Structure formats: C-alpha cells, structure tokens
C-alpha cells in the first residue's frame, strides 16, 4: 500500500522529533544519534556509547537528560546495537519498528558533524536515501542494508532509517562508505535487531502508546496491512503450553498461570477428548456442546476468562482470539475449536459472530506484515486447486443427509464444487475476485511441473491424509502423510510425507494454503496404513513456520459435503475484504447451522495466521455500507 506524499512528509517530521543526540556525560566525542521506540527506551549503536554506563541524551527540541546504557544482547553480544533507558517523557513520540525491508525510498535521521566548524555542534538532519537489502551468499538470509545516494557523515551512526513504504523504521544506520561523498553506507536491519532484543520484538508486535502519532498518520487500513491491531480491545492472546496431563495458560507468554492438570477436567478427560477427536462418525449437538464446555474449562481459568471481551458488533472487525499452542506438541491435537464462551456456554468461540478464533505458533517472529500478496487493487488472486479422489467411490458408504442417503462425490463433482465456490466470489466492485487452475489426481512430479507456469496466491488441496503415532523422535509435521495420485488403476491414494508434499507447494510461494481431508474408504482404515496410525490433524500447521506460509487452514477428516459448504462461504467472504480469520469464522458458522451430517463439522476447521493477525487479500470493507450484501450462515 503506497503512502501519500503528505503522509511521508508527516512521518519525516515525526522522525525528527523521535531522534536524539547521544554524547558522553562530559559532552565530548564520540557522539551519534539514537531514536525513541517507547517513552523510556532508545536504540543506537554500541560504538556510539562505547563502554559508557551513562550518556547524555539530547532529544530534538527538548531538555537533555541522563540515559542508562543497558547490557548487550545475550544472544547477539557482538551486534553493534545498544539500548539506552531514560525516565519517561510522554511529550516525546516514538517510532514504529517493522521487519519489512525492500529496495525503495527511505529517510535517514542523524546529527552529521561538520569538523571544519569546531565550535558548531552537529545539527539534526532528515535526508532521503535509497535502500538495498544485501543477503548472505550461501544462506540467503538478510545480513545488511545498503544506503546509497546520500552523504553519510559521522553523527549519523545509530540513526533511524525510515521505510517510506511501510512508515516504520526498518534499519539502524551503522557506518559510512566515505563521509566526504554521497557514496552512502550501511545499516543494520531491524529484523536482526528484533531477533537480538526480545523487548524490542515485543514493542514491534504490540506498539506502545508513544507511537500513537505514527498510528494516526498511517490510518487504520495501512496499520492493519502491517499486521498490527488497530484496537487492543479487538484481540485476546491466550498462551498454552505443557502436555495433556499438565498445562499452563495465561494471556502473556512470560506470565502463565499455575499448572493445571486433568483433575480440572475430570480423571483422564484429556485422553477421552483426544480419542473422541480421532474417532469418526456422526456427533450430535448435545455431545458437542458438552465437549465444548469441558474444553472451555481447560482453556479459560478465571484470570483468562475475565480478559475475554464481548463479541464485536456486526459493523466492525471481530474480536480476534489467538491461541498460541505448539502445533508439533501434544496439546495441538486437542480440538480447541469446540471450546465455548466461558461467559455464555451456548456459544462456540470458533463459530460465533463477532469473534474470530485462530491458532498461532508462538515461535514465529512477531511484527511481520498481515497483507497477503496482491500487486494492485485490480489484480485477481490466483487459486490453484488440487483434487485427489479415486474413481471407485463405492468404497465410501453413503451418509444420511436430510433423511436421504448421500453418496460420496466423484472427483468431477468435487471439481465442480470448488470451481463454483471460487468462481462465485466477487469483489466489492462486482468483478471476479479469483483466477483458477486445477489438477485432478496428479502425481507429486506433475505438481512440480506446474511450479513455473502458475502464480498461486492460494493453494487449495482436497484429498486424504493420516498421521503416525506420537513419539519423541518425530515432530508433528514429520508424523503426517498426504495423498497424491491414486495410481494407475485409480484405486488407492499414494501417500507422501507431508513435509515433502508441502515443500513442493511452498515452491509456488502461496500466501494461503488450505488442506481439506476426507474420511478414508471403509476398506482402508488407518490401522492398515501402519500400527497406531491416526486421522490427520493440526500438526501440519507447523508448516506455516517451517515453510513460510502466511496463513494455513486445515481440517481433520470429514465428508466432502462439509468442506464444500465451508468453501461456499469462505471464498465470497474473503473477496468481500474480510480477513482470513473472519472468513474462516463465517464459514464455520455456516457449517454449524448446517448440521445434518455432523454437528461437529464446524470444529474440524483449524486456521493459523503464523503470528501475523488480520491477513486479508482485498481491501477492508466499509462494514456499515456492506451489511446484508454478503452471504450469511443460514440453515439448509
């Protein structure tokens, strides 16, 4: 999203007010720049403060004050970055930190020294520069940010480098190529700084009140495109770790509550829950609601339940409830999507209007962007569908739907269903939102062949999967298997390691991956695939971290009618500008009301946004103007 010239000018003015000069307490050299990232914390270079314990901090247009130099980073002690702490001053604004860094226009602030005027202190300057990321030759990791087209003099060290595309500081100036010529210099990427200092990573993910002027300049649409929450009342984070016998829950990762055990749910109840989730068959409404209340008791001790706000009004984005749970750990397989609202046990958090329930992997770096890939408002989003379905559908027994037998659909019927859901989705202007490609029963090699010819913003897989028994030697993703071609005789799916399959998908560079799994045929139960094998589950969501997907949706095995119903609501909501989290929520609501096959169907759909909230492909809708224009969940 481009920022206007007026916004960039406002940000440049703000950058000036956020920048301070750093000198020894004696006022002598060395000297350099620093910038406020909160009302009490500044970032500068380690070589600016050298071995000093205290320094003089001279904010622009404000009185000098003494700053305390904090210890170096424990994980990156040699990094040329230092933090300086001062007493809080609410009058001084702070900059926004953000990881996004690309070739483009930047603004650099600092106090260049003019040595030929010995009696002239370095005055503050904000100057334009061009930026170029530099990547490590072997690893491909970002290691430096090059600044060109600017004369970087002594005194710019430690200064902020503002990205005029994001409106945030993306790097810290560290050296000059030649102070006498406009040869530019180098800067340390904020990405590296956030990895070294957890307190800065937290400020980037949850910006403090001191950045409110930056927030107002950027506006809500741009703010959310950076993956940031406009109102803290719209998001609740729940952190969960441990195992199915003992776990801890809290609303902050560093402040979890006391250990809870199965006694909080009843003897061995957690094992019952896992077994229930892995079994197949129809579940009726009373059974699912009982499960929901048990899971709610596990997830919401009093201190967490009190933090849960009321659902948002239909005229705004929902309250985002983010469950941080390791997708490779033992708690991932619990069906948390069935948890009910602790303040209203009749409502499921994952299928209630005004909420959006999503899982998050806490190991993912925070502060990344939430805008999924589109180059222009007129560009269609590419959907690449993969359907895996053997020809002999008589191997799947029919199910009862509206008191009639409903046979398992053929691959052609599944193709028609996904094509109809994608094709029916329209943008707010009425144009087709998506372009569509399809492969039916491909081999993994055939999918690889499409890597160079398809731009897939969304990869949507409909097929089969299973996972091996839990063990200490394999992670969640390494336990999972996903099917491709049923083979020459079109009898049984050919399974591949999920990691291998998803690595091929990752080469397409999708922003969103959807994995919808069907129940196995009656002649191929999970035990036939290996002793102790189980239905596939949320363990595959760990691929969002390992393979770089922005967001993922996956199901436990279900009937294709259920994922067809989900898709019918999901794609139009996405095209209407809803976030992925909200579109999933709306589609789950539709499944909950259409409970004629299995009332539990809505809870089998799991979504993770990889720790970047508010991911959306299309422009955020004006809710007041669009009420009633888009499909709502209804029975039948």
């Amino acid at each position: 999203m481009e920022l206007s010239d007026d916004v960039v000018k406002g940000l440049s003015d703000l950058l000036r007010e956020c920048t301070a000069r750093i000198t020894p307490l004696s006022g002598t050299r060395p000297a350099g720049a620093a910038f406020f990232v909160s009302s009490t914390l500044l970032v500068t270079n380690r070589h600016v403060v050298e071995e000093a314990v205290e320094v003089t901090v001279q904010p622009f247009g404000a009185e000098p004050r003494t700053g305390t130099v904090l210890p170096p980073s424990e994980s990156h002690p040699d990094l040329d970055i230092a933090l300086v702490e001062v007493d809080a001053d609410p009058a001084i604004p702070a900059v926004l930190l953000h990881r996004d860094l690309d070739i483009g226009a930047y603004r650099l602030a600092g106090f260049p020294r003019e040595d030929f005027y010995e009696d002239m202190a370095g005055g503050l300057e904000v100057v334009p520069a061009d930026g170029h990321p530099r990547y490590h030759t072997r690893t491909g990791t970002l290691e430096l940010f090059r600044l060109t087209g600017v004369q970087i003099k002594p005194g710019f060290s430690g200064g902020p480098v503002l990205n005029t595309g994001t409106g945030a500081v993306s790097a810290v100036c560290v050296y000059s190529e030649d102070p006498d010529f406009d040869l530019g210099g180098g800067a340390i990427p904020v990405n590296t700084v956030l990895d070294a200092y957890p307190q800065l990573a937290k400020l980037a993910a949850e910006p403090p009140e001191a950045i409110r002027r930056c927030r107002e300049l950027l506006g809500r649409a741009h703010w959310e495109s950076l993956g940031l929450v406009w109102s803290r009342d719209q998001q609740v984070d729940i952190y969960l770790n441990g195992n199915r016998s003992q776990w801890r829950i809290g609303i902050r990762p560093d402040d979890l509550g006391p250990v809870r055990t199965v006694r909080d749910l009843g003897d061995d109840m957690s094992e019952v829950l896992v077994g229930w989730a892995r079994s197949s068959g129809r579940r009726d409404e009373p059974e699912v609601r009982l499960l929901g209340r048990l899971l709610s008791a596990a997830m919401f001790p009093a201190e967490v339940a009190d933090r849960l706000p009321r659902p948002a009004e239909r005229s705004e984005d929902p309250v985002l409830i983010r469950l941080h749970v390791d997708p490779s750990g033992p708690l991932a397989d619990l069906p948390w999507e069935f948890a009910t609202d602790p303040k209203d046990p009749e409502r499921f958090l994952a299928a209630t209007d005004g909420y959006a329930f999503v899982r998050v992997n806490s190991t993912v770096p925070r502060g990344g962007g939430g805008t999924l890939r589109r180059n222009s408002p007129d560009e269609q989003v590419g959907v690449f569908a993969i359907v895996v379905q053997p020809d002999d559908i008589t191997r799947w027994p029919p199910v009862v739907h509206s008191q009639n037998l409903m046979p398992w659909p053929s691959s052609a019927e599944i193709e028609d269903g996904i094509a109809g859901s994608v094709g029916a989705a329209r943008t707010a202007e009425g144009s087709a939102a998506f372009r569509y490609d399809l492969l039916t029963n491909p081999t993994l090699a055939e999918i690889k062949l499409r890597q160079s010819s398809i731009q897939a913003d969304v990869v949507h897989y409909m097929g089969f999967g299973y996972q091996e028994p839990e063990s200490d030697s394999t992670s969640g993703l390494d336990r999972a298997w996903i099917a491709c071609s049923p083979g020459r005789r079109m009898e049984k799916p050919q399974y591949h390691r999920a990691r291998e399959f998803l690595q091929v998908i990752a080469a397409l560079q999708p922003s969103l991956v959807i994995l919808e799994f069907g129940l196995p045929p009656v002649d191929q139960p999970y035990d036939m695939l290996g002793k102790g094998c189980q239905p596939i589950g949320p363990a595959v969501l760990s691929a969002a971290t390992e393979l770089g997907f922005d967001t993922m949706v996956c199901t436990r095995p279900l009937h294709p009618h259920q994922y067809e119903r989900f898709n019918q609501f999901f794609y139009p909501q996405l095209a209407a500008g809803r976030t992925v989290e909200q579109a999933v929520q709306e589609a789950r609501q539709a499944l909950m009301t259409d409970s004629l096959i299995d009332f539990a169907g809505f809870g089998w759909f799991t979504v993770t946004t990889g720790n970047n909230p508010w991911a959306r492909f299309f422009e955020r809708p004006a809710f007041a103007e669009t009420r009633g224009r888009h499909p709502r969940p209804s029975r039948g």
Side-chain angles (χ1 to χ4, degrees):
M1 184 181 294
E2 294 291 330
L3 297 174
S4 69
D5 292 344
D6 287 343
V7 171
V8 172
K9 181 182 182 303
L11 290 169
S12 298
D13 293 341
L14 178 62
L15 192 64
R16 182 179 296 110
E17 297 181 48
C18 297
T19 305
R21 189 165 185 257
I22 299 290
T23 57
L25 290 180
S26 62
T28 60
R29 298 171 186 169
F35 55 95
F36 282 88
V37 293
S38 74
S39 60
T40 61
L41 198 61
L42 299 96
V43 176
T44 186
N45 288 145
R46 179 65 53 182
H47 76 258
V48 168
V49 299
E50 293 188 332
E51 301 300 321
V53 176
E54 293 185 323
V55 292
T56 297
V57 177
Q58 173 67 70
F60 179 75
E63 292 297 317
R65 71 274 327 265
T66 298
T68 301
V69 180
L70 300 184
S73 164
E74 293 183 4
S75 59
H76 298 69
D78 297 327
L79 184 66
D80 193 3
I81 291 292
L83 304 187
V84 178
E85 192 172 49
V86 296
D87 292 337
D89 186 346
I92 297 178
V95 299
L96 176 68
L97 298 174
H98 200 271
R99 294 177 182 269
D100 278 5
L101 200 62
D102 208 343
I103 297 175
Y106 289 79
R107 296 290 187 274
L108 169 64
F111 295 84
R113 213 170 56 234
E114 304 289 358
D115 287 334
F116 50 88
Y117 288 122
E118 293 293 341
D119 59 343
M120 181 182 292
L124 177 64
E125 293 184 17
V126 178
V127 295
D130 296 321
H132 307 267
R134 190 175 79 185
Y135 298 91
H136 193 281
T137 304
R138 293 193 310 274
T139 65
T141 56
L142 180 64
E143 61 177 3
L144 187 70
F145 190 63
R146 291 276 293 112
L147 296 166
T148 60
V150 62
Q151 187 176 358
I152 299 179
K153 297 184 177 183
F156 271 115
S157 292
V161 181
L162 179 82
N163 185 334
T164 62
T166 63
V169 168
S170 298
V172 183
C173 187
V174 69
Y175 74 88
S176 171
E177 293 284 4
D178 190 326
D180 296 323
F181 298 95
D182 59 352
L183 298 180
I188 299 173
V190 155
N191 201 55
T192 302
V193 179
L194 299 187
D195 290 342
Y197 290 95
Q199 62 267 56
L200 297 184
K202 179 174 173 55
L203 289 174
E206 301 176 8
E209 178 63 20
I211 55 81
R212 63 185 180 278
R213 279 180 53 193
C214 176
R215 178 177 177 272
E216 291 165 359
L217 278 167
L218 295 178
R220 177 167 185 161
H222 189 87
W223 185 261
E224 290 183 349
S225 77
L226 300 177
L228 299 172
V229 179
W230 184 254
S231 169
R232 297 308 305 173
D233 292 337
Q234 287 184 286
Q235 180 173 314
V236 177
D237 286 84
I238 302 170
Y239 294 85
L240 173 65
N241 67 26
N243 55 53
R244 288 196 292 270
S245 297
Q246 294 183 333
W247 62 89
R248 299 176 67 202
I249 292 178
I251 58 175
R252 302 184 69 86
D254 54 353
D255 186 25
L256 301 181
V259 171
R260 296 168 64 80
T261 70
V262 293
R263 293 182 180 179
D264 296 298
L265 298 180
D267 292 343
D268 299 323
M269 182 54 69
S270 66
E271 296 302 324
V272 172
L273 293 179
V274 174
W276 186 91
R278 290 174 178 161
S279 66
S280 59
R282 182 185 176 98
R283 288 90 167 176
D284 59 19
E285 185 171 345
E287 180 184 6
V288 177
R289 291 194 178 279
L290 173 61
L291 172 73
R293 290 193 292 272
L294 291 170
L295 284 168
S296 181
M299 188 188 298
F300 293 106
E303 62 274 17
V304 178
D306 292 342
R307 180 75 173 78
L308 191 68
R310 296 174 59 86
E313 296 294 329
R314 175 64 184 159
S315 59
E316 58 190 31
D317 282 327
V319 173
L320 191 61
I321 302 172
R322 307 202 310 160
L323 178 64
H324 297 250
V325 58
D326 180 3
S328 299
L331 291 170
D333 269 343
L334 285 173
W336 299 106
E337 285 68 26
F338 291 109
T340 58
D341 185 340
K343 298 178 181 178
D344 185 352
E346 295 303 308
R347 298 189 305 203
F348 294 95
L349 292 174
T352 294
D353 205 15
Y355 286 137
F357 184 88
V358 60
R359 297 190 187 204
V360 174
N361 184 347
S362 296
T363 64
V364 179
R366 304 195 66 177
T371 303
L372 302 181
R373 187 178 64 205
R374 282 178 81 222
N375 295 322
S376 71
D378 298 326
E379 182 183 4
Q380 288 182 313
V381 172
V383 177
F384 178 34
I386 300 170
V387 174
V388 175
Q389 174 60 59
D391 282 347
D392 184 8
I393 58 176
T394 62
R395 296 163 54 215
W396 284 265
V399 298
V400 175
H401 181 273
S402 301
Q403 299 182 349
N404 295 311
L405 291 178
M406 186 176 183
W408 194 272
S410 66
S411 58
E413 290 171 316
I414 295 174
E415 291 171 19
D416 290 343
I418 183 62
S421 297
V422 173
R426 292 289 185 269
T427 65
E429 293 75 29
S431 60
F434 303 99
R435 64 179 186 281
Y436 178 71
D437 289 283
L438 170 72
L439 278 181
T440 301
N441 290 323
T443 64
L444 198 58
E446 287 172 332
I447 299 175
K448 289 181 181 180
L449 289 175
R450 302 296 291 270
Q451 291 173 349
S452 60
S453 61
I454 287 181
Q455 182 181 349
D457 304 294
V458 180
V459 173
H460 193 138
Y461 170 89
M462 288 159 285
F464 302 90
Y466 72 95
Q467 61 190 23
E468 297 169 344
E470 295 178 46
S471 71
D472 296 333
S473 59
T474 55
S475 71
L477 184 59
D478 287 325
R479 291 193 294 122
W481 294 72
I482 295 177
C484 284
S485 167
R488 292 182 180 179
R489 298 180 62 189
M490 300 290 286
E491 291 180 349
K492 296 180 180 179
Q494 304 299 303
Y495 287 94
H496 300 268
R497 290 269 181 194
R499 182 183 301 279
E500 179 186 9
F501 176 87
L502 291 171
Q503 283 173 340
V504 174
I505 297 303
L508 297 166
Q509 297 185 318
S511 295
L512 168 62
V513 175
I514 302 171
L515 304 173
E516 293 176 333
F517 298 106
L519 295 165
V522 292
D523 60 350
Q524 195 182 52
Y526 293 111
D527 281 344
M528 273 189 62
L529 300 169
K531 185 177 180 180
C533 286
Q534 309 149 353
I536 199 165
V540 295
L541 293 177
S542 59
T545 308
E546 298 184 32
L547 302 178
F549 303 131
D550 291 310
T551 183
M552 288 185 71
V553 178
C554 81
T555 73
R556 298 171 193 264
L558 37 69
H559 191 281
H561 170 81
Q562 293 171 297
Y563 57 68
E564 180 178 353
R565 179 71 166 166
F566 177 92
N567 299 335
Q568 288 171 349
F569 280 81
F570 177 74
Y571 280 102
Q573 293 293 332
L574 209 61
R578 305 302 199 264
T579 64
V580 174
E581 302 96 321
Q582 188 176 10
V584 169
Q585 189 86 358
E586 297 274 5
R588 284 191 295 223
Q589 285 182 255
L591 277 177
M592 188 180 69
T593 57
D594 183 18
S595 58
L596 298 173
I597 287 181
D598 180 4
F599 186 80
F602 75 92
W604 299 146
F605 286 82
T606 305
V607 58
T608 179
T609 53
N611 218 3
N612 295 327
W614 309 107
R616 65 177 94 229
F617 282 101
F618 300 91
E619 184 178 352
R620 180 181 184 271
F623 285 94
E625 299 175 7
T626 59
R627 288 184 73 176
R629 287 177 50 193
H630 303 290
R632 304 283 297 128
S634 60
R635 189 177 297 276

